[in-house]
Amino acid sequence: MEHVPPPAEELALLDRELAWLDARRLQLLNRRAWLLGVLGTPVVPPGPTTPAARPFAAPFTPPAREAPAHGTQNVLLVLGGLLLTVAAIAFTLFSWGEMGIAGRSAVLAAVTAGALVAPALLLGRKLPSTAEAVASLALVLTVLDAIALHSVAAPDTDGLVFSAVASAVLVVVWTAYGLLLGRLRVPLPSAVVAGQLPLVFAAWAAEASAAGFGWALMVTAAADVAVALWGRGLAVRATACAGALLTGLIALGLGLGLSVSAGGAPEALAPGALLLAGAAVAVSGAWRAPKAMAVLGGVVAGLASVAAVGGVPAAELPWGWAVVVYLVCGAGLSVVLRLRVPRPVGRGVLAASAAVIAGAVLWAMPVVAAVLLGPASLSAGVWSRAPEGFREALGPSAPWSASASSPVVLALAAGLAAALYVRWPAAVPRDGWRIAAGAGAAVLGWGAVLALLAVADVPYAVAVAAELLLVAALLAAAVRRGADALAVLCLVCAAAGAVSAGLLGLAAEPATYAALVTLAVLLAGAAAMSAVPAVRSVLACGAVLCATALAVAAGASLGWSAPHTAPLVLLVTVATVLLGARLSVPAVAVPVELTGAFAALVAVVLAVSDPPFLSLVLGLCGVLATGAALRKERRRAAGYPAAVLFVAAAWVRLAVSGVTDPEAYTLPVSVAAFVVGYLRRRRDPAASSWVAYGPALSTTMVPSLVVAWADPHWMRPLLLGVAALVVTLVGARLRLQAPLVLGGSVLALDGLHELAPHVVQVLDALPRWVPPALAGLLLLAVGATYEQRLRDARRVRESFGRMR
């Protein structure tokens, strides 16, 4: 079977083939011209080329030009230097012992002196790359000379001491050499790298403590900072900056570890001094550094200062209260706003202050999380008894003894944020940060009160009342602010607090009613006072959810079972339907009605275990949906669910009653519904057939289909099939979707029911390879005529879409 593409696809294919041929012709012409140029024959143009063709790269290109002279030279020099270095190392390690003292001295003097002098001569002959390679070899030779000198001249000297002295000497030699031959780029950065070693080796040789190593690294970092500020050349400064970061951060890490692990204030003084020295080094380096490095230096200086100053008193306190000390020290860094420091350094110090405060807040937040989520862990004890204290209602969710300082931390952080919000510093740009500070003050203050309630273990009733008061305060702030970031954050916290208060009230029946009624009143009042539609919708939906929970609680208090409670829950849906008709803002009415629909779903779930009550609840839901569909703007959204609910209620009722001949009950309803739908279509020809005839047809046909599948006789399936065929033909003739789809679906399922035994017998008789073969042939046929089938599917979809 040959696939013939459509004309448009075939035209595009031909255009691609022609373009490829033109490109291939141009490629061959380019190759011909190059060959003629190699042979010395003048090129004769064979003819004009197609202008539209794009030149393609030839598969055989002319020999590439030679690599640039400087690139080849550098590669050769690098390889040569590496080979000489390897040879020198091998000579020193393996052949050194075969020569006498004179030979060794002669070799050392000759090779090292030659390697050191050669770069000057090469620079004079304008060979800088060669000079750099030889200078690198000379530096390596000086290191080997130091190793050889220790082996021959001072074998009994301590290796660490000799390494410290040798590295210091190499620093001096390489620095002098680099300054003498200023055009060389290798010696001075190499001297900076070697400068990281002398003090470290000296501390190692002296068996210094961790503090001694820290001071050695800090002095090295200070020297690196000086070189980074006043050194010659970008390479030298960059190398010194990297060395300062490495050695300084290691030294600060050692100081921080010693400060945190100190057993008392006297023991914390020495690491505090080291940390203060690190802060001074960081500030001195950041003072004249570029912007990014200045900010980094300010951050390091601020954090080191906090660790140094706060570590001394913190060593005498438990860790929980030590966090408070560090928080106070971090807040004290804001004094940089009153000092005359470069702006990037000041921003870095302020960033360090913010980091310390944020770290303290994160340490205290688990207590707030325990207060909010703790009641959920005791859901098994609903209405068991009122706890004596707040902690008992939260369960074992937090180590309260170690969290005594959490309220203080949160309160201090909230006070700092509030101070920033009230009086924002003029030296710091606002850009929305002031609003963020206000939002942080509100959230942290709320968290501080919650943590205080838990840490103080207030009585249960006081805790419930306090949480409700906090929700009221947050709602008032959200309503007053409007729709900015502070209002949104207050609204989120109010929602979290409302959920926590509701869960907390589940421990006792009076507390449940007190919490739910208060929350419903607060949310409804805030929704009525708010002028922002989005905020009003959120608050109104929360009030509806509280009312739903109240209805469930009322049923439980009355001793009703879950199915008997379901109609009580539907009263909330009734209220939302009526309220939605009164609300003039769609952005508020729609969420409220959807939340009421959720309450109806809760009612249905409650009634699932009792089918008679389930039928009743479904019917009531259909009535409510019909009431909502009376409004023009809700007609389509509520009309379809109303029909579905009524039909589902009828099916459930028939199933519960054990009816084996449902047509006696469904046909009268279908006739009445059909008459109503017919009158609706006459009054409104544009009405959908699903609204007019869908309920009437499905009320009878679907229950009959369910019974027919279990009916061993032939009469019911035959009558149902005939009726479905008639409905399908009428739907196709009148171009109505509902009769066509419902009738066709019932007819197909009914026919499948009748043919199923015969199909099973045929499948058992056929070899097992036949079904896969038939499926493969079907796929081949569909694939070969895919375009035609696609067009047919589009036409069917368009025709179906034009039906009513």
Side-chain angles (χ1 to χ4, degrees):
M1 189 179 298
E2 185 177 359
H3 173 63
V4 179
E9 184 178 348
E10 186 175 3
L11 179 60
L13 181 62
L14 292 177
D15 289 340
R16 287 195 296 269
E17 293 288 341
L18 291 174
W20 183 85
L21 290 174
D22 292 337
R24 179 61 178 166
R25 182 173 184 273
L26 184 60
Q27 179 182 352
L28 295 175
L29 290 176
N30 291 335
R31 178 65 180 173
R32 178 178 180 275
W34 180 79
L35 291 173
L36 291 176
V38 171
L39 296 175
T41 308
V43 179
V44 179
T49 60
T50 305
R54 295 181 60 186
F56 278 61
F60 301 97
T61 55
R65 294 183 302 171
E66 294 183 355
H70 293 292
T72 305
Q73 180 187 16
N74 291 334
V75 172
L76 294 176
L77 290 174
V78 169
L79 291 176
L82 288 176
L83 290 175
L84 288 176
T85 302
V86 171
I89 293 173
F91 171 77
T92 304
L93 294 178
F94 302 111
S95 301
W96 184 260
E98 298 177 2
M99 302 180 65
I101 299 297
R104 298 172 185 174
S105 302
V107 170
L108 277 174
V111 175
T112 305
L116 291 173
V117 173
L121 302 176
L122 293 172
L123 290 174
R125 294 181 175 274
K126 297 182 179 181
L127 297 173
S129 298
T130 308
E132 293 285 354
V134 177
S136 301
L137 175 62
L139 299 182
V140 175
L141 287 175
T142 55
V143 176
L144 297 177
D145 291 342
I147 296 174
L149 183 63
H150 178 262
S151 301
V152 175
D156 298 330
T157 306
D158 187 4
L160 293 175
V161 175
F162 185 85
S163 298
V165 175
S167 57
V169 172
L170 288 177
V171 170
V172 174
V173 172
W174 290 357
T175 303
Y177 186 65
L179 293 175
L180 183 63
L181 301 178
R183 295 174 59 186
L184 293 177
R185 294 174 292 180
V186 175
L188 290 179
S190 302
V192 174
V193 174
Q196 315 304 311
L197 303 176
L199 293 179
V200 176
F201 278 133
W204 196 354
E207 297 182 354
S209 61
F213 272 99
W215 280 109
L217 290 168
M218 188 57 66
V219 173
T220 305
D224 289 332
V225 168
V227 174
L229 293 177
W230 294 288
R232 177 192 295 181
L234 179 61
V236 174
R237 293 196 295 271
T239 306
C241 184
L245 285 175
L246 179 61
T247 55
L249 291 178
I250 295 176
L252 291 176
L254 290 174
L256 180 61
L258 293 174
S259 178
V260 172
S261 61
E267 188 178 346
L269 290 175
L274 177 60
L275 291 169
L276 283 178
V281 171
V283 169
S284 62
W287 203 272
R288 295 179 54 188
K291 182 177 180 180
M293 296 303 299
V295 172
L296 179 60
V299 172
V300 173
L303 295 177
S305 301
V306 170
V309 177
V312 177
E316 299 288 345
L317 299 172
W319 174 245
W321 293 103
V323 174
V324 179
V325 174
Y326 288 118
L327 173 61
V328 173
C329 295
L333 292 178
S334 59
V335 73
V336 73
L337 294 172
R338 299 185 178 275
L339 301 178
R340 300 186 64 181
V341 298
R343 186 180 295 270
V345 178
R347 289 185 177 180
V349 175
L350 291 179
S353 175
V356 173
I357 296 172
V361 170
L362 288 177
W363 174 84
M365 286 308 292
V367 177
V368 181
V371 173
L372 294 176
L373 303 177
S377 62
L378 301 177
S379 57
V382 175
W383 290 4
S384 56
R385 64 180 182 87
E388 295 181 0
F390 191 21
R391 294 184 189 174
E392 185 181 351
L394 300 178
S397 52
W400 303 111
S401 59
S403 306
S405 61
S406 298
V408 179
V409 171
L410 294 172
L412 288 175
L416 293 173
L420 285 176
Y421 178 73
V422 173
R423 187 175 180 180
W424 189 259
V428 181
R430 296 191 178 189
D431 296 336
W433 290 103
R434 183 172 178 268
I435 300 296
V443 175
L444 292 173
W446 170 63
V449 176
L450 292 179
L452 180 61
L453 295 174
V455 170
D457 196 16
V458 298
Y460 173 73
V462 175
V464 175
E467 288 205 15
L468 293 175
L469 287 176
L470 288 176
V471 173
L474 290 171
L475 289 176
V479 171
R480 184 178 180 182
R481 291 295 305 180
D484 59 0
L486 178 56
V488 172
L489 201 55
C490 288
L491 189 61
V492 172
C493 293
V499 173
S500 176
L503 292 175
L504 187 63
L506 294 178
E509 185 175 357
T512 300
Y513 284 106
L516 292 178
V517 170
T518 304
L519 289 174
V521 172
L522 289 175
L523 293 170
M529 295 174 59
S530 177
V532 181
V535 176
R536 290 182 62 191
S537 64
V538 172
L539 295 174
C541 292
V544 173
L545 292 176
C546 290
T548 305
L550 270 174
V552 175
S557 297
L558 294 173
W560 294 354
S561 62
H564 289 76
T565 307
L568 187 61
V569 176
L570 285 180
L571 293 178
V572 179
T573 307
V574 173
T576 57
V577 171
L578 298 176
L579 183 61
R582 297 293 300 273
L583 293 174
S584 58
V585 182
V588 180
V590 173
V592 168
E593 293 183 70
L594 289 177
T595 311
F598 173 76
L601 179 61
V602 172
V604 172
V605 172
L606 291 174
V608 165
S609 60
D610 192 340
F613 261 91
L614 177 60
S615 175
L616 174 62
V617 170
L618 289 174
L620 293 176
C621 291
V623 171
L624 293 175
T626 304
L630 294 177
R631 294 154 51 195
K632 184 177 181 180
E633 68 274 10
R634 296 287 185 268
R635 187 162 298 163
R636 294 182 61 87
Y640 294 111
V644 172
L645 289 168
F646 279 132
V647 173
W651 293 349
V652 173
R653 184 71 260 179
L654 292 174
V656 170
S657 301
V659 174
T660 57
D661 297 323
E663 293 82 5
Y665 300 90
T666 58
L667 276 176
V669 177
S670 295
V671 171
F674 184 82
V675 172
V676 174
Y678 177 74
L679 295 177
R680 168 71 187 281
R681 288 274 297 174
R682 287 192 60 183
R683 187 174 68 253
D684 183 13
S688 173
S689 62
W690 289 100
V691 176
Y693 305 126
L697 295 173
S698 57
T699 299
T700 297
M701 297 180 70
V702 175
S704 298
L705 178 64
V706 173
V707 176
W709 268 79
D711 193 348
H713 304 289
W714 59 272
M715 181 61 68
R716 186 188 302 274
L718 177 61
L719 295 176
L720 179 62
V722 172
L725 177 60
V726 172
V727 170
T728 304
L729 294 177
V730 171
R733 177 67 179 85
L734 300 179
R735 305 181 65 82
L736 298 176
Q737 284 186 7
L740 179 62
V741 173
L742 289 175
S745 302
V746 172
L747 180 62
L749 293 174
D750 186 64
L752 179 62
H753 170 264
E754 295 301 311
L755 294 177
H758 305 288
V759 172
V760 171
Q761 292 178 0
V762 171
L763 290 178
D764 289 339
L766 288 177
R768 298 199 173 188
W769 58 267
V770 174
L774 294 176
L777 291 175
L778 178 62
L779 292 177
L780 288 176
V782 173
T785 59
Y786 176 74
E787 294 292 337
Q788 181 63 34
R789 301 287 77 78
L790 194 61
R791 287 193 293 271
D792 294 342
R794 291 196 187 102
R795 284 197 296 267
V796 170
R797 185 185 63 185
E798 293 171 358
S799 300
F800 187 75
R802 287 193 295 268
M803 293 182 179
R804 301 303 302 172

